[in-house]
Amino acid sequence: MGDTKAYRITFLGLAIVLTLTFFLNISLGSVAIPPIQTLKSLIGQAPDVPSWDYIIWNYRIPKALTAILVGGGLSISGLLMQTLFRNPLAGPFVLGISSGASLGAALFLMGATSANVMAFSGFFNDISLAAAASIGSFAVLFVVVLVANRVRDTMALLIIGLMFGSITAAIVSILAYFSSAEDLQRFVFWSFGSLGDLSYPQIGLLATISGIGLLLSIAALKALNALLLGEQYANSMGISMKTTRFTIICATGLFAGGITAFVGPIGFVGLAVPHLTRQIFKTMDHRVLLPAVFGYGAILMLLCDILAQLPTSESVLPINAITSLVGAPVVIWLLIRKRKIVF
Amino acid sequence: MAQPILSVASLSIGYGSKTILENLDFSIPKGRFVGIVGVNGVGKSTLMRTLGGFQSALAGEIRLEDQPLQTILPNPLAKLRSVVLTEQGVTQNLTVQELIALGRYPYTNWWGKLTKVDHEQISKSLERLELIPLKDCKFHELSDGQRQRVWLARALAQQTPVILLDEPTTHLDLYHKIQILKMLQNISHTEEKTILFTTHEINIALQLCDNILLLDPTTSAFGKPTELIAGGHFQRLFPKGMVDFDEKTGAFVIK
């Protein structure tokens, strides 16, 4: 593959934009804090109003860090799925992982009531919601991995993933149909997604999960490049498809499953960012694309979060709606301008 | 006969319980240019897939460099045989050079870093198939004949003693068919590579190949073109009545 050094300047630019977006993200919010004061707080000096320090360190920075992990992680899993399935429409959730998380969350929020487990209301908090969602997503992932070892055809796996998605979505609908308005509302709120609910330890956990996913993706980099020629050629060059597929699925599962568990199902980013990235990094080399989609995804997520916060206003829009509302027109515009997809 | 690089003994091929061809026996020495012919559906592609190690044989043995094929691990196998497939599930967005560089996969480290040797092999392949002016073109910008040359160059960059090609001349006009096959013949003879390819171009294959493997459900045959013609094997290739094989010119004629 080409020279990875050729993209040094582009990467430098990406890093600068990421830093600026990060700073912009924490300077803006429902409480107006002047950028100079934000900077002061960041470098450890007390800002003019003591509560600003609290807002920045305990609310805005965790949220911005979450946005980076979520945007970057989902984008990497989108890239992995698009290459594995040789399909530009694949995203992090094609294997039914987000539906699994929804099922977990739905069972927890709506199923629990019908089973009269509400007596344990002390048990009912955000962490166990995250746990339920991750159990759901990893249960689906586990089944997909089992199936992946049985079917040799990757395309069959794609369809099986979609079928699992449909089954879980159907169960969620049935649960929703029988649950009370209150529980249903809670579930709907979860499905809107939220970046701002994570504590530092939770961010640490999410970062660890993503870190393992990242290591697996890096281990698969060379195989991902060979997969650009299709499975048969990859095979002929000495790649074990079974191992590669397993590694890629696990990496995606860790990213998408972990992220969905903590922040809810966030659509669009994982599908679109790899395409947006390929418009700037004109290469198919995964050694370049992997860090690039991470940076790109992180930037997009930080920007979407800024919009969702509606700076200086009290209200917050659901992040899941914003990502699509902002992202989809951008992708449509890019495709119309280029007239064809670079894939 | 010199030590064969590829030998097949009482081989049966097919899928599961369905045997397509059985009792195949042939051995091919180093540096031979071999065409595989047979009617549609006789099992040419299945044989290619079996020889390439993509599917297992139903019975019999395949030996590659004197080792049983199924005992060779994936990476060493990738250094013994390369393939050119008909499948086109490939990304269109790679440049010619990038695609050929992927042929170095079995030799590079985990990061896929290309060494000086790798770069040399890539340039050599580019040069060999006259692709240097096209090296920075994207794959989707190329014509069918050019694409076929790129695949060949990729296989060549993989530096294997055996190259298997499944129908390398389909979609090409007569000129490009001959161009590709002449190039292959030349590579086979000058670089001591054993090249096996399936084809429907029996007339051209008879003129260029060292050996022909004629696949037939009942009597498959392997040998020099002249031997097979003398043995009357081509007369039996197609059902009687429509086409006939003229032994004097070594060509099929329409009746």
Side-chain angles (χ1 to χ4, degrees):
Chain A
M1 286 247 147
D3 198 356
T4 39
K5 287 176 193 135
Y7 294 98
R8 253 185 204 158
I9 294 171
T10 328
F11 271 118
L12 189 68
L14 197 66
I16 293 170
V17 176
L18 180 58
T19 317
L20 286 177
T21 328
F22 181 77
F23 182 71
L24 195 65
N25 183 287
I26 53 180
S27 335
L28 295 170
S30 48
V31 178
I33 303 175
I36 295 291
Q37 299 294 325
T38 313
L39 202 60
K40 252 185 167 178
S41 171
L42 272 180
I43 57 171
Q45 290 179 9
D48 295 353
V49 182
S51 68
W52 288 352
D53 214 26
Y54 185 84
I55 292 172
I56 286 170
W57 283 98
N58 289 295
Y59 183 67
R60 291 188 185 174
I61 289 181
K63 185 162 62 66
L65 290 176
T66 310
I68 290 175
L69 284 175
V70 168
L74 288 177
S75 308
I76 290 180
S77 27
L79 176 70
L80 295 180
M81 288 294 103
Q82 287 176 5
T83 300
L84 178 66
F85 292 118
R86 307 281 333 112
N87 189 331
L89 284 176
F93 302 132
V94 284
L95 295 176
I97 292 164
S98 76
S99 321
S102 304
L103 180 63
L107 279 172
F108 181 76
L109 292 173
M110 307 186 292
T113 341
S114 50
N116 286 325
V117 195
M118 276 308 275
F120 299 97
S121 54
F123 182 68
F124 188 87
N125 57 42
D126 289 338
I127 296 185
S128 40
L129 177 58
S134 35
I135 291 169
S137 60
F138 282 97
V140 169
L141 181 67
F142 180 72
V143 178
V144 170
V145 170
L146 272 189
V147 172
N149 281 329
R150 290 189 68 96
V151 291
R152 286 184 63 181
D153 188 357
T154 304
M155 286 309 145
L157 183 61
L158 180 62
I159 294 168
I160 290 168
L162 289 172
M163 291 303 115
F164 272 120
S166 300
I167 295 169
T168 43
I171 300 173
V172 170
S173 304
I174 292 171
L175 280 172
Y177 184 77
F178 286 109
S179 67
S180 70
E182 212 174 288
D183 290 335
L184 189 59
Q185 196 184 24
R186 265 199 214 108
F187 178 74
V188 169
F189 268 98
W190 174 81
S191 69
F192 283 155
S194 166
L195 297 171
D197 299 333
L198 272 71
S199 64
Y200 279 111
Q202 284 173 305
I203 292 174
L205 184 58
L206 182 58
T208 314
I209 295 172
S210 310
I212 300 169
L214 187 63
L215 285 178
L216 289 174
S217 324
I218 291 171
L221 275 179
K222 194 182 160 188
L224 283 165
N225 280 343
L227 271 178
L228 293 173
L229 299 186
E231 280 185 37
Q232 291 227 12
Y233 274 113
N235 235 325
S236 82
M237 292 189 285
I239 292 177
S240 155
M241 261 324 287
K242 223 172 172 177
T243 319
T244 304
R245 205 155 55 175
F246 184 76
T247 315
I248 294 175
I249 290 174
C250 284
T252 306
L254 286 170
F255 276 126
I259 289 166
T260 311
F262 280 109
V263 303
I266 292 189
F268 185 78
V269 177
L271 168 72
V273 168
H275 292 302
L276 294 173
T277 309
R278 288 190 203 102
Q279 305 280 347
I280 289 196
F281 290 83
K282 294 190 189 309
T283 178
M284 295 300 280
D285 189 343
H286 288 80
R287 293 170 301 179
V288 174
L289 283 179
L290 191 85
V293 293
F294 184 90
Y296 232 109
I299 292 169
L300 186 74
M301 209 63 208
L302 285 167
L303 287 175
C304 286
D305 180 53
I306 294 173
L307 286 174
Q309 288 297 322
L310 295 172
T312 72
S313 106
E314 294 281 316
S315 6
V316 178
L317 295 174
I319 188 74
N320 203 355
I322 295 295
T323 49
S324 303
L325 214 54
V326 174
V330 173
V331 171
I332 293 171
W333 173 73
L334 273 172
L335 290 183
I336 290 174
R337 209 184 52 147
K338 294 255 171 187
R339 277 177 211 169
K340 66 188 249 187
I341 195 154
V342 191
F343 186 66
Chain B
M1 194 150 101
Q3 178 74 16
I5 184 121
L6 179 71
S7 65
V8 160
S10 9
L11 178 73
S12 293
I13 57 168
Y15 298 88
S17 58
K18 193 176 173 241
T19 307
I20 297 176
L21 279 170
E22 49 193 354
N23 292 323
L24 290 170
D25 283 279
F26 57 89
S27 59
I28 304 171
K30 225 175 166 182
R32 290 288 172 89
F33 186 49
V34 183
I36 301 176
V37 299
V39 294
N40 279 333
V42 75
K44 293 190 295 293
S45 295
T46 312
L47 178 64
M48 275 302 187
R49 294 176 48 79
T50 316
L51 291 178
F54 298 114
Q55 78 182 66
S56 41
L58 296 181
E61 194 183 44
I62 303 168
R63 293 178 86 85
L64 188 56
E65 264 201 348
D66 219 28
Q67 306 164 64
L69 181 68
Q70 73 275 14
T71 63
I72 309 175
L73 293 171
N75 197 274
L77 181 60
K79 293 177 182 174
L80 287 176
R81 62 97 186 87
S82 50
V83 295
V84 175
L85 305 159
T86 44
E87 174 202 51
Q88 292 290 330
V90 60
T91 179
Q92 305 285 296
N93 201 29
L94 290 168
T95 66
V96 168
Q97 183 157 318
E98 283 174 331
L99 200 152
I100 294 170
L102 281 173
R104 298 302 297 168
Y105 188 96
Y107 303 92
T108 55
N109 64 2
W110 72 274
W111 179 249
K113 186 175 166 50
L114 298 171
T115 62
K116 206 170 147 249
V117 179
D118 296 322
H119 282 296
E120 278 166 17
Q121 286 296 332
I122 295 163
S123 327
K124 215 178 113 191
S125 308
L126 278 168
E127 208 181 300
R128 203 74 180 71
L129 290 148
E130 295 160 28
L131 287 167
I132 295 190
L134 298 173
K135 73 182 167 77
D136 293 317
C137 290
K138 294 274 187 189
F139 191 70
H140 65 82
E141 297 164 347
L142 305 180
S143 71
D144 284 338
Q146 291 167 338
R147 286 178 187 205
Q148 204 50 257
R149 266 151 60 202
V150 173
W151 287 119
L152 285 178
R154 192 211 62 89
L156 211 57
Q158 207 175 322
Q159 253 191 311
T160 54
V162 175
I163 303 178
L164 307 171
L165 303 103
D166 199 5
E167 310 218 358
T169 55
T170 28
H171 306 305
L172 301 184
D173 59 36
L174 185 65
Y175 173 79
H176 287 99
K177 272 178 183 152
I178 295 170
Q179 182 199 33
I180 289 281
L181 292 178
K182 284 282 259 187
M183 275 181 170
L184 279 170
Q185 187 205 37
N186 192 284
I187 290 165
S188 169
H189 292 162
T190 55
E191 318 215 351
E192 281 268 287
K193 286 188 188 297
T194 302
I195 298 182
L196 275 85
F197 69 102
T198 58
T199 186
H200 289 293
E201 304 306 320
I202 299 174
N203 292 350
I204 306 174
L206 281 172
Q207 295 176 59
L208 291 176
C209 293
D210 302 315
N211 294 113
I212 301 269
L213 174 62
L214 192 147
L215 296 179
D216 185 279
T218 51
T219 48
S220 294
F222 178 81
K224 287 182 185 156
T226 46
E227 291 168 1
L228 293 190
I229 293 171
H233 288 281
F234 292 103
Q235 302 291 3
R236 290 197 293 271
L237 188 59
F238 299 116
K240 296 262 171 252
M242 198 93 91
V243 283
D244 210 13
F245 188 75
D246 181 1
E247 291 185 11
K248 287 191 204 77
T249 54
F252 283 94
V253 282
I254 301 167
K255 264 190 170 173

